[in-house]
Each structure stands twice: as structure tokens, then as C-alpha cells.
Amino acid sequence: MTLAMDIPALHEFMQQAFPQVADDFLVDRLDPKGLTVRMLIGDRHLRPGGTVSGPSMFALADVAIYLAILSRIGPVALAVTTNCSIDFMRKPESGRDLIAEARLLKLGRVLAVGDVLLRSDGSDSVVARAGLTYSIPPAG
């Protein structure tokens, strides 16, 4: 499987399509099996008590699958999340970026299904696991 977009192209797409959040995310690894995305954690991602908020973890999982899909099909801005299930398993480690490892389980013409494991940078412990489905708009 050849990739339709490489890491610089994914970063450029995020800057153009989602400039309000693009600087929060960095693709660390990309290959035909999936990708790794880093969320650069700042104060805006924290909830009281200093832990990363659930909505921030959801955003990371969602962006990771979105970029995994785009890496295969090209820059389709209107691909959208149709389902997400996320299990929060433990508190992320304080003061560390979050890392998402995303893989596509199915990439069809209309739907894409994938899963994501979230970890604190430098840790092997899974913080959250998400399963996502995306709708891919018809070409044209």
C-alpha cells in the first residue's frame, strides 16, 4: 500500500484546514500500517487537578485516525467522524505529551474504521483506547 500523503503534507494540510488546532499535533511516525501522533500538552488541555482532559484525549484520538485515513486517500477535508468509543483507563502522567498510535482496521470507499492507543510520552502504560469510524465523502 502506497501512501497518498507524507508527514510534511499532513502537517501542511492541518495548518491549512485546521489552523486553530494544528500546532497542538505533530506526526512522529507514518507507515502503511498506521501512524503515531503527539499532542503537545499545554495548560489549555488540562482539567482541575492537572490531568489531561477527556475532550483533549478524544481530540488526539480523532485527529490520529483522521490523519491515518488522509495518509491513504489524500486531502479529503470533509471526511467526518461518525462514531467514537473511548475507554479511559488511567490518568495521564503529569507534564508529558500524549502519544497516539493509530491503525486502520478497514478502509473502504464509504467508511473507515480504526483504533487508537493513547500513552503518556515515555510510558508503556495505555491511558485510553478508542475505536473510531469515519465517513468518507464520494469523490468529485
Side-chain angles (χ1 to χ4, degrees):
M1 163 61 69
T2 48
L3 296 172
M5 297 177 78
D6 61 11
I7 291 174
L10 292 172
H11 286 157
E12 183 178 334
F13 175 82
M14 285 294 290
Q15 286 294 336
Q16 291 173 357
F18 302 100
Q20 65 276 29
V21 297
D23 291 337
D24 287 349
F25 303 101
L26 189 67
V27 178
D28 285 344
R29 176 194 62 84
L30 171 64
D31 61 44
K33 294 180 181 180
L35 55 74
T36 303
V37 179
R38 172 183 303 270
M39 179 179 240
L40 305 169
I41 300 299
D43 287 341
R44 68 190 167 284
H45 302 113
L46 304 179
R47 65 176 187 85
T51 190
V52 177
S53 70
S56 293
M57 288 189 268
F58 169 84
L60 175 57
D62 194 41
V63 166
I65 286 295
Y66 182 60
L67 294 178
I69 293 166
L70 297 188
S71 74
R72 300 272 194 87
I73 67 172
V76 179
L78 297 179
V80 295
T81 310
T82 59
N83 187 58
C84 178
S85 173
I86 188 165
D87 298 307
F88 300 101
M89 294 184 256
R90 61 183 44 87
K91 180 179 172 181
E93 294 183 28
S94 179
R96 295 187 183 192
D97 292 341
L98 278 182
I99 307 297
E101 294 176 20
R103 66 183 176 140
L104 292 177
L105 304 173
K106 177 189 177 195
L107 180 59
R109 288 180 295 115
V110 177
L111 292 178
V113 179
D115 67 13
V116 182
L117 296 177
L118 302 180
R119 294 181 173 88
S120 295
D121 189 22
S123 175
D124 290 332
S125 298
V126 174
V127 170
R129 184 207 60 83
L132 294 101
T133 302
Y134 258 75
S135 176
I136 301 169

